[in-house]
Amino acid sequence: MTNDMYNQSLPVFKQLLTSLSAILTKAEAFADEKKFDPKVLLDARLYPDMFPLSRQVQIAADFAKSVSARLAGIDVPAYEDNEQTFAELQARISKTLAFIESLTPEQFENSETREIILRPGTPKEKKLLGRHYLSNYGLPQFFFHVTTAYAILRHNGLEIGKGDFMGAY
Amino acid sequence: MTNDMYNQSLPVFKQLLTSLSAILTKAEAFADEKKFDPKVLLDARLYPDMFPLSRQVQIAADFAKSVSARLAGIDVPAYEDNEQTFAELQARISKTLAFIESLTPEQFENSETREIILRPGTPKEKKLLGRHYLSNYGLPQFFFHVTTAYAILRHNGLEIGKGDFMGAY
């Protein structure tokens, strides 16, 4: 069976996390080739109060995981944010991909009208229907962090292009 | 009536183009306050062979326009890329918003299975169904350029946060 909410979310997360993984592989090879500590890239940021590359990757993976889980109506798996190396970030992406690939279209049935509560119990609490949550919150957040990860690496001289960002579609 | 393809595209473009417009207003005010030529920001880029801010805004607006038009099954309006000032970029965004707001959900009927041809007649020609075109090509491209515009301004010291990027949802 097909489900629109499933098709609009899972394959997109999969496409972009896969391309992000390939970009990180190139970034690590770049550090190796130029003989600098890969940590320089992991800690790189576009401005002092912006998150560095490693955190951008963690947050992108987090949105893929949490948006998928919430639409599927299951608990969001908790992952520690303790990645310190490219290998660990790759493992984080792989773990996230394995999780989202474990979800089925059936779990997304009626998710378009499922109520999702953002920041529950806080003054900024906000309720959204599943379809708004995905289109107007989840996807923009996910793309924001994947693109920022790309931008940090591009700014640091990694030779990648938009095709690397887009991946296979 | 509602139409899923309409709901997944138009309100998202509207949300992010509106937030981009507000960010550009802050950017122009920042140049004014710090007494530097606003063109410095319009020409700013994250790496020599990346597009500058002005072009990122043009391309973001282009994707909003072209993806919407192609899904609606109408000709893509042609706009010149001749914007040289913040005011002109704001007019470009306004024109784009007016265009997408002129489209109706009825025009998006059956767009999920409409065949869209990317780069027709070139070696890179690619055919996608409307639903893949939107989720796996159009939205990623659009978000890529809106986020990069944000990243350029953040890198140049404009005090904005992710809430400015997200806009009203």
Side-chain angles (χ1 to χ4, degrees):
Chain A
M1 70 163 283
T2 64
N3 175 287
D4 280 350
M5 291 292 289
Y6 177 91
N7 289 330
Q8 291 159 40
S9 53
L10 278 265
V12 178
F13 294 142
K14 193 176 163 185
Q15 173 187 342
L16 275 290
L17 286 178
T18 302
S19 68
L20 181 59
S21 168
I23 287 169
L24 293 176
T25 297
K26 289 188 179 186
E28 191 177 15
F30 175 58
D32 187 52
E33 179 201 328
K34 298 281 186 184
K35 304 199 190 313
F36 64 79
D37 186 344
K39 197 163 159 37
V40 174
L41 291 179
L42 295 168
D43 291 347
R45 50 186 102 215
L46 292 173
Y47 203 69
D49 67 350
M50 282 181 84
F51 286 129
L53 176 66
S54 56
R55 188 85 189 101
Q56 300 290 350
V57 173
Q58 288 167 345
I59 301 176
D62 261 357
F63 275 107
K65 173 192 73 173
S66 63
V67 172
S68 303
R70 299 185 82 176
L71 290 176
I74 62 173
D75 287 341
V76 180
Y79 299 157
E80 279 186 79
D81 291 322
N82 54 2
E83 291 84 5
Q84 304 277 332
T85 65
F86 276 101
E88 288 167 2
L89 286 178
Q90 295 284 8
R92 172 72 171 262
I93 293 174
S94 296
K95 185 165 61 170
T96 305
L97 283 168
F99 168 70
I100 65 175
E101 287 171 12
S102 75
L103 302 174
T104 65
E106 286 75 11
Q107 292 174 290
F108 285 71
E109 268 184 69
N110 302 316
S111 62
E112 61 273 22
T113 52
R114 181 169 294 148
E115 186 179 79
I116 311 269
I117 305 176
L118 300 177
R119 301 174 287 268
T122 75
K124 287 182 145 186
E125 179 176 297
K126 196 173 174 83
K127 292 177 185 172
L128 295 173
L129 294 186
R131 70 165 77 91
H132 297 143
Y133 170 70
L134 175 60
S135 288
N136 303 95
Y137 179 82
L139 289 174
Q141 291 275 8
F142 174 72
F143 281 115
F144 179 89
H145 292 285
V146 177
T147 308
T148 304
Y150 173 98
I152 290 170
L153 288 168
R154 198 71 167 70
H155 180 63
N156 278 273
L158 182 64
E159 293 193 358
I160 48 177
K162 199 164 60 177
D164 292 285
F165 169 84
M166 292 294 290
Y169 58 88
Chain B
M1 70 164 282
T2 64
N3 175 288
D4 280 350
M5 292 292 288
Y6 177 91
N7 289 331
Q8 291 159 40
S9 53
L10 278 265
V12 178
F13 294 142
K14 193 176 162 185
Q15 173 186 342
L16 275 291
L17 286 178
T18 302
S19 68
L20 181 59
S21 169
I23 287 169
L24 293 175
T25 298
K26 288 187 179 185
E28 191 177 14
F30 175 58
D32 187 52
E33 178 202 327
K34 298 282 186 185
K35 304 199 188 316
F36 64 80
D37 186 344
K39 197 164 159 31
V40 174
L41 291 179
L42 295 168
D43 290 346
R45 49 186 102 215
L46 292 174
Y47 204 69
D49 67 351
M50 283 182 85
F51 285 129
L53 176 66
S54 56
R55 188 86 189 100
Q56 301 289 351
V57 174
Q58 288 167 346
I59 301 175
D62 261 357
F63 275 107
K65 172 191 73 175
S66 62
V67 172
S68 303
R70 299 184 82 177
L71 291 176
I74 64 173
D75 287 342
V76 180
Y79 299 157
E80 278 186 80
D81 291 321
N82 55 2
E83 291 83 5
Q84 304 277 332
T85 65
F86 276 99
E88 287 166 2
L89 286 178
Q90 295 284 7
R92 172 71 170 262
I93 293 174
S94 296
K95 185 165 61 170
T96 304
L97 282 169
F99 168 70
I100 66 176
E101 286 171 11
S102 75
L103 302 173
T104 65
E106 286 76 10
Q107 292 174 291
F108 285 71
E109 267 184 70
N110 302 316
S111 62
E112 60 274 22
T113 52
R114 181 169 293 149
E115 185 179 81
I116 311 269
I117 306 176
L118 300 178
R119 301 173 288 267
T122 74
K124 289 182 143 187
E125 180 176 297
K126 195 172 176 83
K127 292 178 185 173
L128 295 173
L129 293 186
R131 70 165 77 91
H132 296 143
Y133 170 70
L134 176 60
S135 287
N136 304 94
Y137 179 83
L139 289 175
Q141 290 274 9
F142 173 72
F143 281 116
F144 179 90
H145 293 285
V146 177
T147 307
T148 304
Y150 173 97
I152 290 170
L153 288 169
R154 200 69 167 70
H155 180 65
N156 278 273
L158 182 64
E159 293 193 0
I160 48 177
K162 200 164 61 177
D164 293 285
F165 169 85
M166 292 294 292
Y169 58 89

